[in-house]
Amino acid sequence: MPAEHNTPTLMAQECRSAPERVAELLAHDAEVYAALGASLRELPPAALATIARGSSDHAAHYLAYLVMARLGVLVSSLPMSLVTLYNSPLQCKGVAGLSFSQSGQSPDLIAPIEYLRAGGARTAAFVNDAESPLARAAEFVLPLRAGPEKSVAATKSYIAQLVAGARLVAHWQDDAVLKQALQDLPARLREAAALDWSAAIEPLRSVDRLFVIGRGPALAIAEEAALKFKETCSVSAEAFSGAEVQHGPMALVGSGFAALVFAPRGPAQAQLVELAGRLRERGATVLLAAPAGTPGADLPLVTTGHEHLDPIAAVQSFYPMVEQLARARGFDPDRPRHLSKVTKTQ
């Protein structure tokens, strides 16, 4: 049975606690970020590999975009089965391997980090459980400090992973502007959590199919939002780049279709706003999330101290809405069907 509407769900409590958890993250472990940042700066990796699944993989995609856009280092998402199933002879020298996990328990995250480290790669774990097997396997441990997360649908740990990734980039570049914007971020996240996204509930209450669209660093937020629609609302949601959706996927768009478009500040914003208009012309129900003053915006977005951090504020505003939508559709967001909090895969 769905949770009572007057009883806060675990998901609601946890996603709204994210600003305080982020403040906790930023108040600790400066020496670890500084040491890893200095190591990457003094001996830049030839390539960087991320190792993650689910929401954690979306956080890894966000970090990957920042690293490629700001530092020019190529980043790939490592198919873990190369290590766990296919025994592939990976070249580890000169590589940095970054793993992302809430629990740090899954064997298919631990084995690649052990493999990379044994082969001479630098390794780090962004993990909520700093005593987990994954944390023990990595050279550098960057605790998320999100506190126990009981809701099956990860929220505060995902936001903490985004912040931790941006914090590493700031230390890698030794970028004072990004560092200061991160220090100011908890206040911006509190504003984002308080924004009213209730205008999305009725348009999405009965949809079966949904595109979630972003571009640049916001694509990782679209990926996460699509997953949460699946997990909590049983909506068949797909995430697309604002460029990619205009190819084959556009053939699906018409009356009865819906799209949520994330358009924070940045070079991609104008194209995303234009795309939202074209989707509306094709009969789709479109919700455009954008900062105040953006033409056609339906859902407000908070701006932070740096446009590369704006996607973090966007997902902070999204989570309370999708939790409310799940209940409006008759689901308990704390108990998604067929899912458990810790998934151990090989």
Side-chain angles (χ1 to χ4, degrees):
M1 294 295 291
E4 294 296 328
H5 284 235
N6 59 356
T7 303
T9 64
L10 289 172
M11 182 180 177
Q13 295 174 55
E14 289 177 354
C15 74
R16 292 186 182 279
S17 74
E20 283 61 49
R21 305 320 305 175
V22 167
E24 181 79 3
L25 185 159
L26 293 169
H28 292 85
D29 308 308
E31 69 286 351
V32 181
Y33 284 89
L36 180 52
S39 172
L40 294 169
R41 190 167 58 252
E42 292 162 9
L43 185 61
L48 193 152
T50 62
I51 301 152
R53 291 207 187 279
S55 291
S56 296
D57 196 35
H58 305 151
H61 292 173
Y62 171 77
L63 169 64
Y65 199 92
L66 294 191
V67 169
M68 289 187 282
R70 297 172 65 96
L71 289 146
V73 177
L74 290 177
V75 183
S76 63
S77 176
L78 181 70
M80 288 166 273
S81 61
L82 290 173
V83 174
T84 62
L85 297 178
Y86 292 94
N87 300 312
S88 303
L90 302 178
Q91 300 298 315
C92 302
K93 294 288 187 181
V95 173
L98 304 182
S99 58
F100 291 75
S101 176
Q102 197 283 128
S103 70
Q105 299 290 332
S106 187
D108 63 352
L109 299 179
I110 299 162
I113 284 293
E114 291 177 334
Y115 182 99
L116 290 171
R117 188 174 183 182
R122 278 167 290 181
T123 57
F126 297 85
V127 62
N128 202 28
D129 183 352
E131 303 301 322
S132 64
L134 178 63
R136 292 195 296 271
E139 178 183 1
F140 294 90
V141 180
L142 300 109
L144 301 179
R145 299 190 179 275
E149 190 169 58
K150 298 179 181 179
S151 173
V152 173
T155 56
K156 62 179 181 173
S157 65
Y158 173 73
I159 290 175
Q161 287 175 332
L162 297 176
V163 174
R167 190 183 185 192
L168 175 58
V169 170
H171 279 273
W172 186 347
Q173 289 190 295
D174 198 18
D175 186 313
V177 174
L178 186 56
K179 287 179 182 178
Q180 184 57 55
L182 282 162
Q183 291 304 314
D184 296 339
L185 188 58
R188 303 290 79 75
L189 292 180
R190 293 184 193 100
E191 294 176 18
L195 288 181
D196 182 7
W197 274 36
S198 60
I201 302 299
E202 284 306 313
L204 299 179
R205 185 190 289 266
S206 60
V207 302
D208 296 317
R209 298 180 300 161
L210 175 68
F211 283 167
V212 189
I213 299 169
R215 201 168 184 190
L219 179 57
I221 306 309
E223 292 170 337
E224 170 64 7
L227 177 61
K228 287 299 179 285
F229 279 124
K230 294 184 184 83
E231 284 181 327
T232 66
C233 300
S234 290
V235 173
S236 180
E238 291 186 86
F240 285 103
S241 156
E244 188 64 31
V245 77
Q246 298 181 68
H247 295 278
M250 188 63 83
L252 295 173
V253 176
S255 179
F257 209 86
L260 170 59
V261 180
F262 286 97
R265 294 180 300 170
Q269 186 189 62
Q271 180 257 335
L272 290 165
V273 172
E274 181 183 352
L275 173 62
R278 288 204 299 275
L279 292 169
R280 287 190 176 107
E281 290 171 358
R282 285 165 171 76
T285 296
V286 178
L287 293 162
L288 175 63
T294 304
D298 305 284
L299 305 171
L301 292 182
V302 163
T303 56
T304 67
H306 197 293
E307 69 178 44
H308 281 165
L309 302 182
D310 286 1
I312 305 178
V315 78
Q316 177 72 81
S317 297
F318 167 80
Y319 279 144
M321 182 279 289
V322 80
E323 184 273 341
Q324 294 166 27
L325 179 64
R327 291 188 285 109
R329 290 170 65 93
F331 296 106
D332 182 347
D334 287 340
R335 296 175 178 82
R337 295 183 297 178
H338 316 307
L339 298 176
S340 59
K341 183 60 183 169
V342 178
T343 303
K344 296 184 178 181
T345 49
Q346 295 288 345

